[in-house]
Amino acid sequence: MPASLIIGACWGDEGKGKIIDYLSKTADYVVRFHGGNNAGHTVINRFGKFAMHLIPSGVFNKKTIAVVANGVVIDLEVLLDEIQMLKKAGIDVSQKLIISPRCHLIMPYHKVLDNLYEQAKGEKKTGTTGRGIGPVHADKVSYNGILVSDLLDTKLFKEKLRLQLNLKNTIIKALGAKPFSEKEILNAFFLLRKKIKPFIQEPYPLLHEALAKKRHVLFEGAQGTFLDNNWGTYPFVTASTTVSGGITHGAGVPASALSTVLGVTKAYTTRVGEGPFPTELLDKIGEKLRQTGNEFGATTGRPRRCGWFDAELVRFAKEINGLTHLAVTKLDILDTFPNIKICTGYTYYGKPIKYYQTDTPLLGKVKPVYKTMKGWLSSTKGITSFSQLPHPARIYLLELEKITRIPIAYISTGAKTDEIIKR
Ligand code: GDP
Ligand code: IMO
Ligand code: MG
């Protein structure tokens, strides 16, 4: 069982954390390779309930080494809080967490700038998580970033910080906010450095050795395909590459190393933040999905927008990521719906149109074409075998498989890790 990638097939929050916790039972390594603490991956297992933001969701298994690879942007305070949270729950990561020295640091000014840009955009805002993700990536690609390795070199860190504060404080003051004190940031970061230092190690040779020995390496995608900076609904996207190719620049591993690319999708669709959403339900049904599915963000607590399953999106996710299988989560949330719709494709002024033929404003105007399926009106909660599912639920899943043209390998029937069907 060599390398597999678990990736969001929609707009994030598909239930990746749960699937990764389940699959990591056999994993030697679990690797986060992009995004930052904008991610919130929920895991509910024998240790408790956790919202994982930076440490990979596979950390709960004794023999699994958790790697935060170079593509991840790190807020050190959040990382240390997460280490503490795990310690309290009985998981000691001191011998099993590796942080790449190449990761970029989310600095306090990135978070302030994120919020100032959103305020300046007003109604046109992206609806970011406010964690500094856009600004830290902007600094990375414009050669203004500060890396974890810089933190280990006091002189270099001070020089880089001084230069950045000259630039950032100018912008921050112009936008009417309070500038940062160099001394305060230095003091805070030198304290954080002490705690983080034992975890810093280049994971590249470990991952390549593991792949060569055919060990099981699990890559944990964050966000989702349609939040990708290039292929998502720009500018209502995130700053990183969320599609499968991201493992090369984010973890130093060739995409050809992957034997499985598992796309995770809910049995319906959700999105948090702004941007087009063709199957969004702004009616009672959407509200029922939100309440039944407890659709409130794991990172910001914001209500998620809800709609029917969108096969056009998932087919595109298959093509661009090379999905080999699907995991369908939250089937149980549909238990009380008498009719369930599947969007089989879009039209624009009566003519069929594909996702890739749209730009963001146009995607906001397409009309979904629906196929209506019969609901099952009985509980699927906690079911662990396909044959035990009510007949209409099986028909629904087989229809999803047919329309997306992707085999469904896992069906999740509850939030707990063991509430799952493996086919
Ligand atoms: P992620 O970001 O992709 O890891 O997903 P989130 O954790 O942000 O959101 C998924 C939510 O759905 C979490 O609250 C999970 O506990 C929950 N969840 C995942 N799978 C299932 C399922 O099959 N049934 C139910 N009822 N909840 C689920
Ligand atoms: P997980 O890994 C859902 C969304 C934000 C916003 C846009 C940009 O839990 O699936 P950012 O803070 O990244 O600059 O925000 O991206 N977003 C997510 N939506 N799940 C996530 O992560 C997300 N991470 C970012 O809501 O629309
Ligand atoms: Mg999430």
Side-chain angles (χ1 to χ4, degrees):
M1 237 249 254
S4 23
L5 169 61
I6 315 307
I7 201 161
C10 298
W11 278 294
D13 299 332
E14 296 91 346
K16 300 176 293 292
K18 171 196 161 147
I19 300 294
I20 286 156
D21 183 41
Y22 173 75
L23 292 177
S24 62
K25 285 185 175 65
T26 55
D28 298 287
Y29 290 90
V30 60
V31 186
R32 274 284 306 269
F33 61 95
H34 74 95
N37 54 303
N38 47 348
H41 297 176
T42 311
V43 173
I44 306 176
N45 58 21
R46 66 187 198 282
F47 295 101
K49 178 176 178 178
F50 307 88
M52 306 301 292
H53 301 294
L54 283 167
I55 297 179
S57 305
V59 72
F60 299 93
N61 294 289
K62 221 172 185 177
K63 68 170 198 112
T64 311
I65 308 265
V67 177
V68 178
N70 62 285
V72 178
V73 292
I74 298 185
D75 186 323
L76 288 178
E77 283 183 1
V78 174
L79 179 65
L80 289 166
D81 283 351
E82 216 156 279
I83 292 172
Q84 280 310 315
M85 170 189 82
L86 290 170
K87 200 172 177 185
K88 268 193 198 149
I91 296 118
D92 177 11
V93 297
S94 57
Q95 301 303 317
K96 55 178 292 172
L97 175 64
I98 295 175
I99 310 287
S100 165
R102 291 169 204 267
C103 291
H104 280 242
L105 291 171
I106 300 178
M107 303 299 290
Y109 47 80
H110 290 132
K111 292 178 262 188
V112 166
L113 287 170
D114 191 353
N115 291 312
L116 286 172
Y117 294 156
E118 285 283 275
Q119 277 167 30
K121 286 182 185 169
E123 276 188 2
K124 299 248 180 318
K125 71 178 195 285
T126 299
T128 72
T129 59
R131 304 300 194 255
I133 302 298
V136 71
H137 282 86
D139 273 357
K140 181 175 177 175
V141 296
S142 62
Y143 331 124
N144 286 292
I146 302 184
L147 285 74
V148 165
S149 59
D150 297 335
L151 198 54
L152 303 178
D153 180 334
T154 304
K155 187 164 165 274
L156 182 64
F157 185 76
K158 281 183 173 171
E159 275 170 15
K160 281 197 166 186
L161 179 65
R162 176 158 300 174
L163 177 65
Q164 287 311 311
L165 279 181
N166 280 339
L167 293 168
K168 300 304 192 296
N169 276 341
T170 310
I171 304 170
I172 287 170
K173 278 191 279 186
L175 291 171
K178 193 170 154 259
F180 283 95
S181 137
E182 183 182 313
K183 205 170 151 210
E184 276 175 28
I185 297 186
L186 279 177
N187 288 342
F189 272 72
F190 289 148
L191 277 179
L192 294 167
R193 172 171 75 179
K194 257 195 205 154
K195 297 182 183 162
I196 213 72
K197 208 173 164 183
F199 301 103
I200 303 172
Q201 184 188 346
E202 175 55 64
Y204 182 92
L206 298 175
L207 293 179
H208 277 266
E209 193 192 331
L211 292 171
K213 289 186 173 160
K214 304 247 180 287
R215 297 253 197 278
H216 186 198
V217 183
L218 203 62
F219 293 91
E220 174 171 345
Q223 288 83 53
T225 301
F226 299 92
L227 290 171
D228 182 79
N229 196 262
N230 282 278
W231 288 98
T233 50
Y234 194 91
F236 307 106
V237 292
T238 191
S240 67
T241 295
T242 65
V243 293
S244 55
I247 69 158
T248 303
H249 60 247
V253 164
S256 58
L258 296 170
S259 57
T260 305
V261 184
L262 179 68
V264 186
T265 169
K266 286 174 186 156
Y268 50 97
T269 308
T270 66
R271 165 164 214 172
V272 58
E274 308 301 318
F277 180 177
T279 64
E280 182 171 19
L281 292 163
L282 297 165
D283 55 11
K284 276 187 190 158
I285 302 177
E287 190 52 36
K288 183 175 167 186
L289 278 172
R290 182 160 35 251
Q291 295 306 331
T292 317
N294 192 23
E295 294 295 354
F296 298 89
T299 297
T300 58
R302 288 177 293 174
R304 296 182 186 134
R305 300 155 64 192
C306 299
W308 296 121
F309 185 92
D310 186 336
E312 174 60 25
L313 292 184
V314 176
R315 280 194 302 258
F316 180 82
K318 178 196 177 180
E319 287 171 356
I320 197 158
N321 295 306
L323 298 184
T324 56
H325 301 86
L326 273 185
V328 176
T329 62
K330 301 191 103 163
L331 183 73
D332 54 303
I333 301 308
L334 297 180
D335 285 352
T336 58
F337 289 77
N339 292 299
I340 300 165
K341 290 187 184 179
I342 303 172
C343 164
T344 57
Y346 307 144
T347 60
Y348 183 61
Y349 283 104
K351 287 205 176 118
I353 188 167
K354 301 260 184 216
Y355 171 78
Y356 65 79
Q357 292 173 304
T358 67
D359 56 18
T360 295
L362 182 55
L363 188 67
K365 295 180 194 146
V366 300
K367 284 212 162 45
V369 177
Y370 285 116
K371 176 163 189 174
T372 302
M373 308 291 293
K374 213 172 117 205
W376 42 95
L377 300 176
S378 62
S379 175
T380 60
K381 178 101 177 47
I383 289 181
T384 53
S385 108
F386 190 72
S387 62
Q388 278 169 14
L389 286 174
H391 186 248
R394 275 181 276 150
I395 298 289
Y396 179 69
L397 291 163
L398 294 174
E399 191 63 25
L400 294 188
E401 216 166 37
K402 195 169 118 198
I403 296 178
T404 60
R405 303 177 208 118
I406 319 173
I408 298 175
Y410 302 96
I411 300 144
S412 174
T413 55
K416 292 183 191 145
T417 296
D418 51 10
E419 292 175 316
I420 195 160
I421 297 168
K422 181 175 187 238
R423 283 180 80 210

